[in-house]
């Protein structure tokens, strides 16, 4: 399968703990995005990378959130001091920059539950 | 102005029917409008997308109709099947910006 992969698929953590999620994009894609989706809502943009550079961050991305894409391939999203309001599905997407660059392909997501 | 308004919230049709899902936007800088299909526990899957220079696009049983003057676009699913039962999201993005702005979703149920 050459689609976007995310790990873990599910994460249960206690309030106050730190969590880290990983996303592996489609291999030739140089753009990578993180979105958050809560129950019954559409995905909301968090941040995106072109190669290693983080080019845009949403106001939703508080200082407890940090994302990296160190070598322009996989990316990690870390949430520090988790809160119950962080419970959501975290989705990663990738695309290829260029004329067709806006076609974003999503992974299966990581469902986070904060107890 | 960054919002995309989607309706209806839910929809039930019989097998073979043609469900229609509508979206409206205010920001005339939006220039790319995709539709995504999402099954429970899965990520959204890109179905079909359109740009404002065309009024209609078909891919298989899925058709997007686009009305630039009304700032509205809609998804039609021809000959709907029970396997089409899912949540559908419209989205939009602006030239030069990468983020997609999503609608709130429509839960479609196609009865056998």
């Amino acid at each position: 399968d050459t689609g976007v992969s995310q790990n873990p698929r599910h994460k249960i953590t206690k309030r106050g703990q730190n969590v880290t999620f990983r996303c592996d994009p489609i291999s030739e894609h140089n753009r990578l995005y993180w979105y958050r989706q809560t129950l019954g809502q559409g995905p909301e943009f968090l941040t995106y990378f072109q190669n290693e550079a983080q080019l845009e961050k949403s106001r939703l991305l508080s200082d407890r959130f940090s994302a990296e894409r160190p070598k322009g391939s996989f990316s990690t999203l870390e949430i520090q001091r988790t809160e119950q309001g962080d419970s959501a599905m975290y989705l990663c997407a990738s695309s290829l920059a260029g004329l067709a660059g806006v076609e974003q392909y999503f992974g299966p997501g990581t469902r986070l539950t904060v107890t | 102005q960054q919002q995309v308004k989607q309706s209806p919230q839910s929809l039930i049709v019989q097998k073979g029917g043609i469900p229609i899902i509508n979206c409206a936007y205010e920001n005339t800088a939006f220039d790319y409008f995709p539709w995504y299909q999402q099954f429970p526990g899965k990520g959204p899957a890109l179905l079909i997308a359109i740009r404002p220079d065309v009024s209609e696009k078909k891919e298989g049983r899925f058709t997007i109709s686009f009305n630039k003057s009304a700032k509205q676009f809609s998804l039609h699913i021809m000959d709907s099947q029970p396997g089409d039962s899912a949540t559908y999201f419209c989205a939009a993005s602006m030239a030069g910006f990468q983020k997609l702005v999503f609608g709130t979703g429509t839960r479609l149920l196609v009865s056998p």
Side-chain angles (χ1 to χ4, degrees):
Chain A
D1 190 291
T2 56
V4 178
S5 61
Q6 293 187 245
N7 287 289
R9 295 293 310 279
H10 304 273
K11 179 71 177 178
I12 300 174
T13 191
K14 292 185 177 179
R15 188 175 54 187
Q17 297 294 304
N18 299 343
V19 294
T20 299
F21 312 139
R22 175 178 171 129
C23 170
D24 288 88
I26 293 170
S27 59
E28 63 269 27
H29 284 184
N30 55 356
R31 286 183 177 159
L32 186 149
Y33 313 79
W34 286 99
Y35 290 81
R36 181 173 70 185
Q37 185 177 26
T38 53
L39 205 59
Q41 299 297 315
E44 294 176 292
F45 172 81
L46 293 177
T47 188
Y48 101 94
F49 294 83
Q50 180 157 322
N51 301 314
E52 312 83 31
Q54 189 174 16
L55 298 184
E56 187 176 354
K57 292 196 289 186
S58 162
R59 284 173 289 181
L60 291 175
L61 213 66
S62 75
D63 55 6
R64 296 184 298 106
F65 288 69
S66 63
E68 293 183 345
R69 194 182 183 201
K71 296 183 180 179
S73 56
F74 72 92
S75 175
T76 58
L77 178 68
E78 181 184 16
I79 309 175
Q80 296 182 328
R81 306 182 303 280
T82 52
E83 302 173 355
Q84 288 189 321
D86 297 331
S87 295
M89 175 82 88
Y90 289 84
L91 294 162
C92 176
S94 70
S95 74
L96 185 62
L99 290 177
V102 291
E103 291 183 351
Q104 297 183 22
Y105 296 90
F106 283 81
T110 295
R111 179 163 296 284
L112 172 67
T113 302
V114 181
T115 61
Chain B
Q1 275 225 326
Q2 288 292 318
Q3 286 185 327
V4 179
K5 295 183 180 179
Q6 184 171 347
S7 62
Q9 189 173 10
S10 62
L11 188 54
I12 301 174
V13 298
Q14 289 191 328
K15 178 182 174 182
I18 305 176
I20 301 172
I21 304 170
N22 301 298
C23 284
Y25 63 97
E26 288 296 324
N27 190 342
T28 55
F30 285 146
D31 73 340
Y32 172 71
F33 303 90
W35 284 90
Y36 284 83
Q37 177 191 58
Q38 187 174 32
F39 293 103
K42 307 291 185 183
L46 179 63
L47 272 179
I48 185 173
I50 198 167
R51 294 192 180 274
D53 52 347
V54 297
S55 60
E56 185 176 277
K57 183 175 181 180
K58 293 183 182 181
E59 284 186 7
R61 294 185 294 109
F62 301 96
T63 298
I64 299 180
S65 297
F66 188 85
N67 186 329
K68 187 175 181 178
S69 60
K71 293 184 283 187
Q72 295 175 347
F73 58 109
S74 60
L75 176 70
H76 303 232
I77 306 175
M78 306 304 175
D79 187 28
S80 58
Q81 301 296 313
D84 296 328
S85 298
T87 301
Y88 292 80
F89 292 96
C90 62
S93 68
M94 291 187 286
F97 293 86
Q98 301 307 314
K99 70 176 184 183
L100 288 171
V101 177
F102 282 84
T104 50
T106 295
R107 182 175 289 184
L108 172 66
L109 177 64
V110 181
S111 60

